């Protein structure tokens, strides 16, 4: 509101909240740091889990950063920006979501120290930008090249990703499943591998133990045969894929037909029957003995298919049809009349099996399938869901290494190396920007510090020891938190993809820079939900009812 010759001028509507300058920065930094603190305890092999309960009472138990932040109901805009960091990291690299958010939070904490020394945000932003660019160069320098054929390295990458998650007790099994699945669907283009992880289908079924999880070199469809007289098991399967309904088509236009005698009605029904029989005859004539249909199958058509001994499944999802085509080499046909023997796919075995009391169709023994299925078993739904998240991360990190061919030592070794090198870089740069670069370097130590903290180690002592060893023994020295000592991460096989670390630094620095550049927050009045809190109340701006006493 402003005064104009004694008259008040209302600019912003009533109920709008506005934070300007240092206040806006302080509140945004606080909100972002609280988000980082929330997920920080989940980092590393000894990280803890979070139990998230939504408004409907559904429970999720996880230590996956992206899942935690996705499930929390947040109100503060700066907090939502931190969620975007996790989502970007998950989409681009598949792992390292917690790392990215923790680094972003620490960069902001260090920036606040500089703001308290009256250093202008623009200088901090410039220093952070320079440090982030330099960090990318340093990471590329210290990266170690691996070949996609190096199965042992791929296994170690997957196991490092799974360590610390609920699937850890069976990490070798899941690492093997992830590596085998990615290598199976990888396609070579211009001498480089490309992996489309949509071709790896994950099916979950409660029951049995986690050890019963398996990789099916083909596709598992959560459906059953349409007719009980159809064979349950077909060996040497010739598979037809049709995406139209095996039903009598209705006319496009609205038509009314008057039938005046029973004979006419009979001939109508006979004609329908004949049309359906012709459809089935055409399918049988191609030699197909297994049929997957994207739409419905008429009862009468089911009867004829059963007579021919064809195993048929209806209402198969479009995505599953595409996977079946990739796995078996079949072509999806729109019109039954166009189906020929060349369009059929092949599999050694198509079988209906009972899994946890439900029927599923297994298409196995495909020659060189470019689509595979991982069937996850486990005692409870919560266990299976967490195993799935761990497996997805493992699949994505193996994909990163297959595509890029570079890895880094994990266990905080990469961050310590960056911190040491960026400190040297700051001395070359000089000026006030050097302070920002030094603080950036210091902020990266939060990762080894958190790893030690979550393992119950003395963080100060551990950090001093590991940095000293790192300088003396080389850039692969990180924290072995099982032994509680500095160790050579490469020798221990604790490695991560270069892409994960590069993306984490990139996402974290960009988010921190964006939040630092904000000096004015204008929040419109938010109507109060029933029993909830509206607007951006008191100081921090309301965190969706989260208890933030940290």
């Amino acid at each position: 509101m402003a005064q104009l010759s004694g008259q008040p001028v209302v600019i912003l509507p009533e109920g709008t909240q506005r934070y300007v300058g240092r206040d806006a920065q302080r509140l945004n930094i606080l909100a972002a740091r609280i988000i980082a603190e929330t997920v920080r305890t989940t980092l590393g092999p000894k990280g803890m889990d979070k139990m998230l309960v939504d408004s409907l009472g559904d429970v999720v138990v996880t230590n996956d950063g992206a899942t935690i932040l996705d499930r929390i109901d947040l109100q503060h805009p700066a907090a939502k920006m931190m969620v975007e960091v996790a989502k970007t990291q998950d989409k681009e690299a598949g792992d390292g979501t917690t790392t990215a958010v923790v680094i972003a939070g620490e960069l902001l904490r260090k920036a606040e120290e500089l703001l308290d020394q009256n250093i202008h945000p623009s200088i901090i932003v410039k220093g952070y930008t320079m440090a982030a660019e330099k960090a990318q160069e340093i990471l590329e320098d210290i990266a170690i090249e691996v070949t996609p054929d190096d199965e042992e390295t791929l296994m170690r990458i997957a196991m490092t990703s799974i360590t610390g998650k609920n699937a850890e007790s069976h990490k070798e099994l899941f690492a093997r499943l992830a590596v085998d699945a990615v290598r199976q669907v990888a396609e070579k283009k211009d001498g480089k591998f490309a992996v489309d992880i949509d071709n790896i289908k994950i099916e979950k079924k409660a029951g049995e133990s986690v050890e019963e999880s398996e990789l099916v070199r083909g596709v598992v469809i959560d459906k059953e045969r349409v007719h009980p007289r159809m064979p349950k098991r077909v060996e040497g399967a010739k598979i037809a894929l049709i995406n139209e309904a095996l039903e009598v088509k209705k006319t496009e236009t609205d038509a009314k037909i008057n039938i005046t005698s029973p004979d006419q009605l009979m001939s109508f029904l006979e004609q329908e029957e004949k049309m359906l029989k012709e459809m089935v005859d055409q399918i049988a004539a191609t030699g197909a003995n297994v049929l997957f249909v994207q739409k419905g199958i008429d009862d009468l058509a089911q009867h004829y298919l059963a007579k021919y001994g064809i195993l048929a499944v209806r209402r198969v999802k479009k995505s599953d049809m595409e996977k079946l085509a990739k796995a078996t080499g079949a072509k999806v046909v729109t019109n039954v009349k166009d189906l020929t023997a060349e369009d059929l796919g092949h599999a050694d075995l198509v079988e209906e099996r009972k899994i946890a009391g439900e029927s599923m169709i297994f298409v196995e023994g495909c020659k060189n399938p470019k689509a595979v299925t991982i069937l996850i078993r486990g005692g409870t739904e919560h266990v299976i869901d967490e195993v799935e998240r761990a497996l997805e991360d493992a699949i994505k990190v193996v994909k990163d290494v297959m595509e890029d061919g570079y890895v880094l030592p994990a266990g905080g070794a990469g961050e310590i190396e960056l911190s040491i090198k960026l400190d040297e870089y700051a001395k070359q740069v000089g000026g006030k920007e050097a302070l920002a670069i030094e603080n950036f370097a210091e902020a990266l130590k939060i990762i080894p510090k958190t790893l030690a903290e979550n393992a119950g180690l003395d963080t100060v002592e551990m950090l001093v020891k590991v940095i000293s060893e790192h300088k003396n023994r080389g850039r692969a020295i990180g924290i072995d938190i099982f032994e509680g000592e500095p160790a050579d991460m490469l020798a221990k096989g604790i490695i991560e993809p270069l892409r994960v670390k590069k993306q984490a630094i990139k996402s974290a620095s960009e988010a921190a820079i964006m939040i630092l550049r904000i000096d004015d927050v204008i929040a419109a009045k938010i109507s109060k939900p029933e029993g909830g809190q509206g607007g951006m109340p008191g100081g921090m701006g309301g965190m969706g009812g989260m208890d933030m006493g940290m």
Side-chain angles (χ1 to χ4, degrees):
M1 193 154 81
Q3 292 282 114
L4 186 69
S5 31
Q7 285 291 312
V9 179
V10 178
I11 295 170
L12 295 172
E14 191 186 344
T16 303
Q17 283 187 317
R18 183 175 182 188
Y19 303 108
V20 186
R22 193 69 187 84
D23 270 353
Q25 283 161 345
R26 190 173 55 80
L27 291 172
N28 283 339
I29 289 171
L30 181 60
R33 277 179 55 197
I34 284 172
I35 293 298
E37 285 295 324
T38 305
V39 295
R40 196 177 146 208
T41 55
T42 69
L43 187 72
K46 295 284 182 86
M48 304 298 276
D49 290 0
K50 304 280 177 197
M51 180 186 274
L52 307 167
V53 187
D54 68 12
S55 53
L56 299 171
D58 288 340
V59 177
V60 174
V61 178
T62 182
N63 66 3
D64 180 66
T67 306
I68 293 166
L69 295 181
D70 193 39
R71 300 295 178 113
I72 300 177
D73 182 21
L74 297 171
Q75 279 188 359
H76 198 287
K80 288 179 179 174
M81 286 159 84
M82 294 293 271
V83 177
E84 290 305 313
V85 172
K87 283 185 177 170
T88 306
Q89 181 72 17
D90 196 39
K91 204 183 291 175
E92 292 297 319
D95 200 9
T97 49
T98 307
T99 302
V101 173
V102 169
I103 291 174
E106 189 65 7
L107 286 172
L108 287 167
R109 191 176 79 79
K110 288 290 177 189
E112 194 163 30
E113 290 174 9
L114 294 175
L115 290 170
D116 290 342
Q117 293 169 33
N118 290 326
I119 291 174
H120 197 275
S122 296
I123 290 168
I124 302 172
V125 165
K126 189 180 176 191
Y128 273 14
T129 307
M130 289 164 76
E133 284 171 7
K134 186 69 178 171
Q136 298 289 328
E137 288 174 30
I138 297 165
L139 286 172
E140 282 176 15
D141 282 348
I142 65 172
I144 300 142
E145 193 169 0
V146 293
T147 61
D149 307 328
D150 186 348
E151 203 169 315
E152 192 187 341
T153 302
L154 295 179
M155 281 288 288
R156 285 176 164 187
I157 281 277
M159 285 199 284
T160 303
S161 171
I162 294 167
T163 304
K165 299 189 168 81
N166 274 1
E168 187 182 348
S169 51
H170 302 95
K171 64 181 178 184
E172 286 196 14
L173 165 69
F174 288 110
R176 168 56 55 209
L177 293 179
V179 170
D180 286 353
V182 172
R183 292 186 71 181
Q184 186 60 60
V185 303
E187 294 182 47
K188 209 164 189 180
K189 290 176 188 166
D190 308 328
K192 281 195 165 189
F193 281 99
V195 180
D196 182 356
I197 54 174
D198 285 343
N199 292 330
I200 301 172
K201 185 183 184 195
I202 296 180
E203 278 287 350
K204 304 178 290 184
K205 276 280 175 276
E208 297 288 338
S209 72
V210 174
E211 287 135 28
E212 299 300 313
S213 302
E214 60 175 321
L215 174 70
V216 177
R217 290 184 190 276
V219 185
V220 178
I221 308 283
D222 198 356
K223 296 274 177 191
E224 58 187 352
R225 301 166 298 159
V226 291
H227 197 284
R229 282 182 57 201
M230 287 176 176
K232 264 193 169 184
R233 179 186 174 95
V234 177
E235 290 182 23
K238 293 176 182 173
I239 300 163
L241 304 178
I242 296 171
N243 71 356
E244 75 161 346
L246 292 191
E247 293 165 349
V248 176
K249 286 198 181 79
K250 292 183 173 66
T251 54
E252 291 290 328
T253 52
D254 287 340
K256 190 176 179 184
I257 301 168
N258 288 325
I259 293 175
T260 53
S261 72
D263 294 350
Q264 286 177 325
L265 183 59
M266 284 304 291
S267 63
F268 247 91
L269 294 172
E270 280 167 17
Q271 186 63 29
E272 277 195 1
E273 194 174 323
K274 188 179 165 211
M275 286 165 73
L276 288 167
K277 190 171 186 312
E278 276 175 11
M279 277 183 175
V280 176
D281 286 347
Q282 275 171 326
I283 292 165
T286 62
N289 52 15
V290 176
L291 172 68
F292 290 96
V293 179
Q294 201 173 318
K295 294 172 183 162
I297 302 177
D298 190 281
D299 290 355
L300 201 56
Q302 291 176 25
H303 165 73
Y304 286 125
L305 287 164
K307 272 180 104 173
Y308 277 116
I310 296 172
L311 191 161
V313 183
R314 67 177 165 186
R315 308 210 183 284
V316 179
K317 287 189 294 195
K318 185 170 185 273
S319 60
D320 285 347
M321 292 290 277
E322 287 167 2
K323 287 185 183 75
L324 280 165
K326 287 218 160 173
T328 65
K331 292 189 177 74
V332 181
V333 176
T334 307
N335 195 328
V336 176
K337 288 175 186 167
D338 298 338
L339 187 70
T340 64
E342 284 80 58
D343 298 325
L344 302 182
H346 300 273
D348 290 347
L349 177 67
V350 175
E351 185 178 19
E352 180 183 284
R353 292 179 203 157
K354 272 266 197 295
I355 303 285
E358 288 180 37
S359 295
M360 298 179 91
I361 303 284
F362 282 69
V363 180
E364 291 182 314
C366 307
K367 270 204 186 86
N368 183 23
K370 287 299 167 194
V372 294
T373 306
I374 297 174
L375 180 64
I376 300 176
R377 308 303 305 276
T380 68
E381 290 291 340
H382 294 135
V383 170
I384 293 174
D385 288 344
E386 185 63 350
V387 168
E388 181 190 21
R389 283 187 279 271
L391 191 56
E392 281 177 352
D393 284 355
I395 287 168
K396 285 173 183 169
V397 293
V398 175
K399 164 191 184 304
D400 292 346
V401 177
M402 286 279 287
E403 290 181 345
D404 301 345
Y406 287 96
V407 297
L408 292 169
E415 286 81 5
I416 292 166
E417 181 69 14
L418 280 176
S419 182
I420 294 166
K421 287 278 198 296
L422 286 173
D423 258 339
E424 293 167 8
Y425 176 60
K427 291 182 178 71
Q428 296 167 22
V429 171
K432 285 184 180 176
E433 284 86 359
L435 290 172
I437 296 169
E438 279 169 14
N439 276 25
F440 192 105
E442 194 63 30
L444 292 174
K445 290 178 187 168
I446 190 69
I447 297 301
K449 188 178 167 190
T450 304
L451 289 172
E453 200 175 294
N454 290 348
L457 304 171
D458 183 323
T459 49
V460 177
E461 185 192 335
M462 194 71 239
L463 208 56
V464 170
K465 206 188 278 185
V466 79
I467 291 170
S468 161
E469 291 271 315
H470 191 97
K471 286 177 178 172
N472 295 333
R473 286 171 54 196
R475 55 179 60 153
I477 303 297
I479 300 175
D480 179 350
I481 60 174
F482 297 104
E483 301 293 328
E485 289 295 329
D488 187 324
M489 295 290 111
L490 294 177
K492 292 256 180 189
I494 302 168
I495 49 179
E496 60 188 338
L498 172 64
R499 188 189 296 185
V500 168
K501 192 63 72 203
K502 281 181 76 173
Q503 186 61 45
I505 302 287
K506 200 172 174 182
S507 305
S509 55
E510 283 174 2
I513 286 165
M514 184 178 270
I515 289 169
L516 281 173
R517 293 176 77 103
I518 298 166
D519 75 339
D520 201 342
V521 178
I522 302 164
K525 186 178 181 182
I526 301 170
S527 56
K528 281 193 180 184
E530 282 300 311
Q533 54 197 111
M536 286 175 50
M540 216 204 71
M543 293 287 290
M546 279 177 68
D547 174 18
M548 285 301 173
M550 302 186 190

